[in-house]
Amino acid sequence: MITAKAPPPPYTSGFFRKIESGPSPAVETLGLAKLRGINVGGLYRSRRSFVAHARSKPIKAKENTGASLIDDWFKPIQAKDDSDIEECATAFPGKNLPQMSNVGNSTNILWHDCPIQKQDRQQLLQQKGCVIWLTGLSGSGKSTIACALSRSLHSRGKLSYILDGDNIRHGLNHDLSFRAEDRSENIRRIGEVAKLFADAGVICITSLISPYQKDRDACRALLPKGDFIEVFIDVPLQVCEARDPKGLYKLARAGKIKGFTGIDDPYEPPCSCEFRFSYSFQKTGAFILQIVLQQKGSGCKSPSDMAEIVISYLEENGYLRA
């Protein structure tokens, strides 16, 4: 018998440190020649025990095919008959697939519900989520009142968050201009974010010029009835322009800012807001005169007093308890 030594495998330890092959019928039958060049470590025990086992129970190749044991091992698994395929198809019938939605330019999207709902979050925070929407001309005091309101809520252990128009344009809406269509998109995005805050159980305070009635109405429609509380800071243009805390009115009058609300772009006062605050300023900038509410009047002298009126409304309508 002629004995040929096979090339050593890529490793020098283990059972296959040295493999010899020859014209043995068992070797040909098992197709061991096909094992050259592949890593067979872990597939077999040892050459001697493997060959001894093959000699004791010889395995015959299939007639006229030359197929080896290796071929059989790696043969793809097929279904026995069409009934197997039918079982797989009925496991996921089309009628049980979730109903997909098309919203705007988004297609084939699915709304996923979570077992923790708004009521659970409100119970955790011991308050009810809502949106307090402050609207008015630039320089009317919206941001000042928003901060006073948030501070007062915080002192009561209530969680709030302010969405300030300028702050939002530093990040989320930095890609938008002050053209009419971009201003509408600005309000739409903020309305959707405010809705999420309210759904989280947070009292969301927005401080936005939001000059167009249709945009404010669209934001109101996003929330359940009563959860959108519109506060109109009704300050005359001449008063806001006299204050001009950011110097924007001066730039607008000089033609350096185009589309500025109150100068060359309109402001549409709310038709049916929950609150209407009307006041003026002293030369020092302190608030004076009075607040005029939608249904009842009350005098006050500071933004903190205005905030307290809104908080009283929240208390009366159950927003400061779960």
Side-chain angles (χ1 to χ4, degrees):
M1 177 183 292
I2 300 174
T3 302
K5 294 186 178 181
Y11 50 87
T12 59
S13 62
F15 294 124
F16 292 91
R17 188 177 305 168
K18 184 177 180 180
I19 298 179
E20 296 179 359
S21 62
S24 170
V27 173
E28 294 178 359
T29 301
L30 295 172
L32 285 179
K34 293 186 178 182
L35 295 179
R36 292 183 179 180
I38 66 172
N39 184 1
V40 295
L43 292 177
Y44 308 101
R45 292 168 288 179
S46 68
R47 182 182 65 84
R48 290 182 178 178
S49 61
F50 184 82
V51 173
H53 179 74
R55 287 176 177 173
S56 63
K57 294 182 179 180
I59 302 174
K60 294 183 179 180
K62 297 178 181 178
E63 294 182 0
N64 301 325
T65 63
S68 69
L69 184 61
I70 304 300
D71 293 325
D72 292 336
W73 283 347
F74 292 97
K75 182 185 297 182
I77 300 174
Q78 298 179 351
K80 295 179 181 179
D81 50 41
D82 293 339
S83 62
D84 292 345
I85 299 176
E86 291 177 1
E87 289 181 7
C88 294
T90 56
F92 300 97
K95 63 181 180 180
N96 291 334
L97 292 175
Q99 184 64 42
M100 309 301 281
S101 301
N102 299 330
V103 181
N105 293 327
S106 299
T107 59
N108 298 320
I109 57 176
L110 177 67
W111 182 273
H112 289 273
D113 282 318
C114 176
I116 302 300
Q117 298 292 318
K118 180 179 181 180
Q119 184 176 357
D120 302 300
R121 294 185 285 269
Q122 292 181 152
Q123 187 67 32
L124 184 66
L125 296 172
Q126 286 298 297
Q127 64 183 53
K128 293 180 180 178
C130 63
V131 175
I132 303 173
W133 193 279
L134 304 180
T135 177
L137 292 171
S138 176
S140 60
K142 299 182 299 298
S143 296
T144 303
I145 297 173
C147 289
L149 182 55
S150 182
R151 183 167 54 249
S152 185
L153 287 168
H154 182 77
S155 68
R156 288 171 166 80
K158 304 304 176 183
L159 183 62
S160 65
Y161 194 86
I162 298 174
L163 297 177
D164 184 87
D166 281 2
N167 292 357
I168 296 295
R169 283 184 177 270
H170 277 79
L172 176 65
N173 292 347
H174 76 278
D175 59 321
L176 301 177
S177 70
F178 285 92
R179 294 176 300 179
E181 58 271 23
D182 279 1
R183 300 190 83 159
S184 292
E185 174 61 13
N186 177 63
I187 298 305
R188 187 197 69 82
R189 293 183 190 179
I190 295 175
E192 291 286 355
V193 173
K195 173 187 174 182
L196 295 177
F197 270 104
D199 187 62
V202 177
I203 299 173
C204 183
I205 307 166
T206 70
S207 174
L208 309 158
I209 295 175
S210 46
Y212 308 132
Q213 179 71 49
K214 64 179 180 64
D215 296 332
R216 297 192 300 267
D217 289 345
C219 292
R220 180 186 289 272
L222 293 173
L223 288 102
K225 185 177 181 180
D227 286 359
F228 186 91
I229 304 163
E230 190 172 21
V231 180
F232 175 30
I233 314 299
D234 185 12
V235 179
L237 174 62
Q238 60 270 24
V239 176
C240 293
E241 191 170 359
R243 290 190 69 215
D244 201 10
K246 302 175 186 177
L248 299 178
Y249 284 100
K250 184 178 180 179
L251 293 174
R253 291 295 186 186
K256 296 181 179 180
I257 296 179
K258 301 296 183 181
F260 193 78
T261 303
I263 304 300
D264 55 355
D265 203 65
Y267 177 83
E268 301 171 0
C271 299
S272 57
C273 55
E274 280 69 24
F275 293 97
R276 175 174 168 261
F277 292 168
S278 178
Y279 57 92
S280 184
F281 299 89
Q282 296 175 333
K283 290 183 180 180
T284 59
F287 292 88
I288 60 174
L289 294 185
Q290 65 176 3
I291 297 176
V292 180
L293 275 66
Q294 186 76 1
Q295 298 177 346
K296 59 182 179 179
S298 175
C300 73
K301 296 182 179 180
S302 71
S304 296
D305 294 330
M306 299 178 189
E308 290 303 319
I309 293 176
V310 177
I311 288 178
S312 296
Y313 175 88
L314 296 176
E315 287 178 337
E316 292 171 4
N317 288 275
Y319 287 99
L320 300 189
R321 58 182 182 274

